[in-house]
Amino acid sequence: MIIFFLVGLTVHVVFFISIFDIYFTSPLVHGMTPQATPLAPPASRLVLVVADGLRADSLFTLLPNGSSRAPYLRGNIEKRGTWGVSHTRVPTESRPGHVALIAGFYEDVSAVAKGWKENPVEFDSVFNESSHTWCWGSPDILPMFAKGATGDHVYTHTYSAEEEDFASTDASKLDSWVFTQVTSFFHSAKSNSSLNATLHEDKNIFFLHLLGIDTNGHAHRPMSQEYLDNIGLVDAGVSHLVSVVEDFFGYDGKTAYVFTSDHGMTNWGSHGAGHPSETLTPLVVWGAGVQGAKTVTEPQPYSDGYLKDWKLEHIQRVDVNQADIAPLMASLIGVPIPVNSVGVLPLLYLNNTHRFKAESMYTNAIQVLEQFKISLCRSLISHSLEGLVYYHTYDRFFLGCSVVLGFVGWTSYVVLLILKTHASLNRHPNLTGQVRTYSSPLVIAVFLFIQRSPITYYIYCLLPVPVWYAVLKDIVLRMYTEGFKKRVLVSLCCSVYICCHQVVSFFHRAMLTLGLVFLSLWPILSGLFGKAKTRSLSWFLGCLCLAVFPLMPVVGREPNIHLVYNTCHNAYNCVVVLRFLILNYCPSIPQMIHVAVCSCVPFLTHSSLQQKQGLPLLNQIISWTTLVSSIVVPLLSSTRLFHRLLSIFLSLTATYLLLSTGSEALFPPVLSWLMFVWINIEQEAMLAQGVSSRQELSTIDFSANIDITKIRQLKLDDIRRSYFLYPCIFIITAFFGTGNIASINRSVYVIIPFIIVMCTFETIQVATQLSSRSISHYVIVMSMTIFLMLLSVVTHILTSQRLILWRKPKMHFP
């Protein structure tokens, strides 16, 4: 069994790694020669200002009285420069956004393995191609561009990481710090002859990263006064910055200015996904070499309705993709376009001769393909980018089919092995011959060798061969064995169903809700309704209540702290009622008080932040203590079935309430309610089947040694328990029932329901007298399999072990 466990773990690791070969392919190509326009650039220097987390509508929308909260930038839009909307891509995070802006390509996906914190591979950028670049801002963004630059010409000035506090009383001070540092820098340069001479060189860049708007958006939401006031502060800061720069360079008219944002933000204060509020960012460009504002009378080719809302129908709007800004900046100051850039130069932003524009477009085309003629550059850029996408993904369908075929075969083989091992299905003595064939692997290996495929492709393609060989051989040898034909068909149907259902569920949350609705009818369809009406009714109502959660919105909600507070108390009341209904005796006083305190902490924390008093120390102590103790406290309780399960539930609920911001606080009570009903209804199912060895739930002790002689053989109902109820419905519900996992607290949201479901499944295995290692480790599918296998061990310890800190007096329940 240990060998089989190791083989199974290896198989799932291989399938997990295959995802990176199929989808996570790097977009970077190395070895190109930097390409620059041979003509003199219109600007000698460039100032790039990135307002982190600024939405396009927040900047462009006028106030009710018709004025703008950013009058200086509005003036540039209407009189001095060109404006538009910069369209970002998922993931809408700070690092990928800045990489697209400054390097011109969309982030290398391999960077996700390092948390976007450092360069997994070196890449070219506009900063790297400049003569000198001075940067001010966040320590999370600036160092990665200095690290990737050749030589020592990128200088960074950052504040300490401790100042990036999302609960700060005034996050706009981060932006004030940047503007103050830049002003001091230029004032000191006047008395520093060497620095003064360096600043007057051509092709210099000044980069200001402003994190205050993003910080205020996370802490107070984008519709808050703090967020909107911060926009006004940035506008005033940019106005002062321009006056300082122009004064230092004697108003020579050789400075170009670019103002934009790396990503937007939802009304809920989050980003990372593809909602328009996250992907639409402002772009305002003015100064040397930039086309001035153009008045238009005809309707503009934008159907999104924003021009009317922003009162800018009369000013020409030029939208770009975020990566297009990198070649625009390179063209303005005459530096080579970053070699990995996929941006297309937006000509409407340039105010120069037709020859300069043509040379710039030709340089852009050569930078993308290095072979193009100027007359074909526009169409060839588009076709070449399509070719790059095909080049990176042409093996995807082939590899995906191989992995799916191997995984379905492996699932079927596991089912057959379990049935052979635990269902007393002996091989027919006349059908024990073995047939060996080596033609299929040989053909596949030759095909891959001709294609010069990497070694991992051999693993993905050859792995299904022995698995399916074992499955088909066993089916043929047992096709005439009594009763086996029916079991094989049922098992194979389960395998196909599980794969199809999970694929659908991952992409359509409504399908999961529909599945829970149909699951509520299980007692009626199985004939249990007439024998256990009360529990069947509880099952029906529990499934319907749980089906509501996958459809609830996870972002874009307006916060209502009173609703949050009431919801937390409702969750706490559910805990009390649930405990009385199950045990019918006085609940554990310390744990109940703990849950009550945790239900009040979110309300107190929100009130403190609203008053700009920061995060209270007492709340921090309660939160961290609860998080650490949530796993330890259940180990101090009795190992009797309901006592231990309810202790686990109370402990996890306390942690869950601290992370809840709305109605999701009710998710653990509803899920636990259904889990307790499931435990009881499975007992009724065993009673209806006439299983004589059924054990009463009130007598079950998790820590008791399992009597091997009482472990029964598998039945088709065990396949139902392990396939339909366990991974397909409840595990997927635990994953999607609380929203997405784009933020840290969402990942904890997923783990807590996982533990609740896993503890329930452990209970059912013990209650139905099955070995806890014979089903749960072999039927979990897809990429979550390895995680759940390890989590099964944790829940086994959580339910069966007990810590004795001191001797206690004898109790009725040990």
Side-chain angles (χ1 to χ4, degrees):
M1 186 57 68
I2 295 179
I3 295 178
F4 180 72
F5 175 83
L6 295 176
V7 172
L9 184 62
T10 302
V11 169
H12 288 293
V13 169
V14 170
F15 289 147
F16 180 78
I17 295 175
S18 69
I19 297 299
F20 294 90
D21 276 332
I22 297 175
Y23 294 101
F24 281 27
T25 53
S26 173
L28 299 183
V29 180
H30 300 282
M32 290 83 68
T33 301
Q35 303 292 324
T37 303
L39 303 180
S44 298
R45 66 200 69 91
L46 182 138
V47 177
L48 171 62
V49 181
V50 177
D52 202 308
L54 177 60
R55 294 163 39 152
D57 60 339
S58 298
L59 178 68
F60 296 140
T61 302
L62 297 178
L63 297 172
N65 60 7
S67 62
S68 173
R69 62 175 54 92
Y72 179 75
L73 292 173
R74 183 81 178 193
N76 287 328
I77 293 173
E78 296 178 344
K79 300 176 181 178
R80 295 179 287 275
T82 303
W83 76 285
V85 174
S86 173
H87 297 265
T88 68
R89 286 191 183 181
V90 175
T92 47
E93 299 286 351
S94 293
R95 176 193 164 103
H98 283 87
V99 170
L101 285 170
I102 301 170
F105 71 93
Y106 299 102
E107 181 65 288
D108 182 359
V109 291
S110 62
V112 73
K114 296 190 177 182
W116 310 112
K117 291 301 182 184
E118 60 181 68
N119 301 350
V121 292
E122 301 300 331
F123 57 84
D124 193 18
S125 69
V126 177
F127 294 173
N128 183 48
E129 300 293 348
S130 67
S131 296
H132 300 87
T133 296
W134 289 267
C135 310
W136 296 268
S138 168
D140 295 332
I141 298 299
L142 306 188
M144 69 178 178
F145 293 103
K147 177 182 177 181
T150 57
D152 186 20
H153 64 279
V154 178
Y155 311 100
T156 60
H157 305 273
T158 65
Y159 38 77
S160 63
E162 289 74 15
E163 295 186 49
E164 296 184 44
D165 183 6
F166 276 34
S168 173
T169 56
D170 185 13
S172 62
K173 68 180 182 181
L174 301 178
D175 298 342
S176 300
W177 183 93
V178 172
F179 288 122
T180 301
Q181 291 294 317
V182 175
T183 302
S184 300
F185 173 78
F186 280 104
H187 285 328
S188 63
K190 293 181 179 180
S191 58
N192 188 327
S193 58
S194 61
L195 178 59
N196 192 307
T198 302
L199 290 176
H200 279 83
E201 294 179 5
D202 292 339
K203 303 178 181 181
N204 285 336
I205 296 178
F206 305 94
F207 172 45
L208 283 70
H209 175 240
L210 308 177
L211 189 61
I213 294 178
D214 183 75
T215 305
N216 271 321
H218 286 299
H220 306 289
R221 310 296 182 262
M223 300 305 173
S224 64
Q225 197 60 41
E226 291 82 359
Y227 183 90
L228 300 177
D229 289 345
N230 205 152
I231 297 177
L233 183 147
V234 168
D235 181 77
V238 172
S239 176
H240 179 69
L241 168 71
V242 172
S243 63
V244 170
V245 172
E246 294 296 333
D247 176 72
F248 181 84
F249 292 105
Y251 297 91
D252 60 357
K254 291 292 185 177
T255 307
Y257 300 89
V258 177
F259 179 88
T260 186
S261 175
D262 54 346
H263 57 75
M265 187 174 293
T266 65
N267 292 341
W268 187 237
S270 64
H271 56 81
H275 191 271
S277 61
E278 301 169 87
T279 59
L280 302 183
T281 59
L283 175 62
V284 183
V285 187
W286 71 97
V290 179
Q291 181 66 52
K294 278 190 175 182
T295 303
V296 295
T297 57
E298 299 180 356
Q300 302 192 50
Y302 301 102
S303 58
D304 48 28
Y306 292 133
L307 285 171
K308 184 177 180 180
D309 295 339
W310 299 337
K311 303 296 187 294
L312 289 171
E313 307 100 309
H314 61 292
I315 305 297
Q316 184 182 38
R317 166 183 167 185
V318 183
D319 283 12
V320 300
N321 293 322
Q322 194 172 47
D324 299 342
I325 299 177
L328 172 63
M329 294 190 296
S331 177
L332 287 173
I333 59 175
V335 300
I337 299 175
V339 294
N340 293 117
S341 171
V342 296
V344 179
L345 178 65
L347 291 179
L348 294 179
Y349 278 84
L350 297 180
N351 180 22
N352 214 312
T353 64
H354 292 295
R355 182 185 175 188
F356 181 86
K357 295 180 181 180
E359 288 287 353
S360 299
M361 281 300 299
Y362 180 75
T363 301
N364 193 183
I366 293 298
Q367 173 265 319
V368 175
L369 293 177
E370 298 189 5
Q371 296 179 3
F372 271 24
K373 301 293 184 179
I374 187 169
S375 60
L376 300 177
C377 62
R378 288 184 178 270
S379 62
L380 287 179
I381 289 176
S382 175
H383 289 303
S384 64
L385 295 178
E386 293 177 3
L388 286 175
V389 172
Y390 172 78
Y391 174 76
H392 289 304
T393 61
Y394 75 94
D395 272 341
R396 179 173 297 177
F397 179 77
F398 167 67
L399 292 177
C401 290
S402 297
V403 171
V404 169
L405 185 64
F407 199 91
V408 173
W410 171 252
T411 305
S412 302
Y413 175 73
V414 169
V415 172
L416 295 177
L417 184 62
I418 293 175
L419 291 176
K420 286 193 300 181
T421 305
H422 300 280
S424 296
L425 298 176
N426 297 322
R427 180 170 296 178
H428 196 283
N430 296 329
L431 297 173
T432 56
Q434 296 185 2
V435 179
R436 298 182 181 275
T437 176
Y438 302 97
S439 57
S440 298
L442 183 60
V443 171
I444 295 175
V446 171
F447 172 77
L448 295 175
F449 179 78
I450 295 175
Q451 294 288 324
R452 296 183 179 179
S453 301
I455 188 64
T456 53
Y457 285 29
Y458 288 84
I459 300 176
Y460 305 144
C461 295
L462 293 178
L463 185 58
V465 175
V467 173
W468 276 106
Y469 172 76
V471 171
L472 296 178
K473 181 188 69 173
D474 204 285
I475 292 177
V476 172
L477 293 178
R478 296 179 176 277
M479 188 59 69
Y480 299 99
T481 302
E482 182 179 359
F484 188 76
K485 184 176 181 179
K486 179 180 179 181
R487 288 185 173 89
V488 169
L489 293 177
V490 171
S491 301
L492 292 179
C493 289
C494 289
S495 300
V496 175
Y497 174 82
I498 192 75
C499 294
C500 296
H501 187 282
Q502 286 202 343
V503 171
V504 172
S505 296
F506 268 110
F507 291 98
H508 301 283
R509 291 155 60 95
M511 293 298 296
L512 179 58
T513 299
L514 186 62
L516 286 169
V517 172
F518 280 113
L519 187 62
S520 66
L521 303 176
W522 166 52
I524 300 177
L525 299 177
S526 61
L528 292 174
F529 183 75
K531 301 175 182 179
K533 290 185 178 180
T534 302
R535 286 175 183 152
S536 298
L537 183 60
S538 297
W539 174 269
F540 177 78
L541 296 176
C543 287
L544 293 184
C545 292
L546 196 64
V548 176
F549 288 94
L551 296 181
M552 287 186 175
V554 295
V555 295
R557 300 174 296 182
E558 289 296 333
N560 187 333
I561 193 58
H562 298 291
L563 174 62
V564 175
Y565 184 66
N566 292 334
T567 302
C568 291
H569 274 289
N570 290 336
Y572 170 67
N573 293 333
C574 289
V575 173
V576 178
V577 173
L578 184 64
R579 176 140 190 165
F580 272 110
L581 289 177
I582 294 174
L583 297 183
N584 196 24
Y585 78 97
C586 183
S588 174
I589 300 301
Q591 280 191 279
M592 298 303 293
I593 295 176
H594 187 201
V595 174
V597 171
C598 290
S599 66
C600 301
V601 168
F603 175 77
L604 298 176
T605 300
H606 185 274
S607 299
S608 178
L609 294 180
Q610 285 291 93
Q611 299 171 11
K612 297 186 178 181
Q613 296 177 355
L615 185 62
L617 178 61
L618 179 61
N619 291 15
Q620 297 183 47
I621 295 175
I622 294 175
S623 300
W624 284 109
T625 303
T626 300
L627 180 63
V628 174
S629 65
S630 59
I631 299 297
V632 178
V633 170
L635 299 177
L636 303 175
S637 65
S638 171
T639 55
R640 288 295 182 91
L641 187 147
F642 282 129
H643 297 73
R644 178 55 64 91
L645 287 182
L646 208 46
S647 179
I648 294 172
F649 168 62
L650 288 171
S651 182
L652 295 179
T653 297
T655 302
Y656 201 89
L657 290 177
L658 294 175
L659 301 173
S660 299
T661 57
S663 57
E664 66 267 20
L666 292 173
F667 182 72
V670 174
L671 179 63
S672 300
W673 165 31
L674 191 58
M675 293 297 98
F676 279 115
V677 176
W678 183 22
I679 294 172
N680 284 277
I681 207 168
E682 288 293 354
Q683 286 292 96
E684 295 294 337
M686 292 190 64
L687 182 62
Q689 296 166 6
V691 179
S692 59
S693 60
R694 184 180 70 91
Q695 189 177 5
E696 293 296 333
L697 293 177
S698 59
T699 64
I700 294 177
D701 192 320
F702 283 116
S703 63
N705 294 326
I706 298 177
D707 188 350
I708 300 178
T709 60
K710 293 183 179 180
I711 295 179
R712 59 179 178 80
Q713 296 178 350
L714 291 182
K715 297 179 177 296
L716 290 180
D717 271 352
D718 297 320
I719 304 298
R720 169 186 54 76
R721 293 187 186 99
S722 60
Y723 273 88
F724 291 89
L725 296 182
Y726 177 47
C728 271
I729 300 297
F730 292 138
I731 287 296
I732 302 301
T733 301
F735 187 85
F736 285 108
T738 55
N740 60 23
I741 55 172
S743 58
I744 297 177
N745 64 324
R746 292 293 175 185
S747 62
V748 180
Y749 272 11
V750 174
I751 293 176
I752 290 177
F754 272 4
I755 295 178
I756 293 175
V757 175
M758 289 291 293
C759 288
T760 304
F761 194 68
E762 178 84 6
T763 303
I764 289 177
Q765 291 178 107
V766 174
T768 56
Q769 297 179 343
L770 281 176
S771 171
S772 61
R773 303 296 180 266
S774 62
I775 297 179
S776 61
H777 285 181
Y778 308 135
V779 297
I780 307 167
V781 293
M782 304 301 287
S783 61
M784 68 176 65
T785 301
I786 302 171
F787 167 71
L788 291 178
M789 290 168 63
L790 300 177
L791 190 59
S792 177
V793 178
V794 175
T795 56
H796 178 72
I797 297 174
L798 193 62
T799 55
S800 61
Q801 302 300 317
R802 184 177 185 182
L803 297 179
I804 305 297
L805 299 182
W806 56 80
R807 294 186 61 85
K808 295 183 178 180
K810 185 176 181 181
M811 297 183 296
H812 180 69
F813 293 103

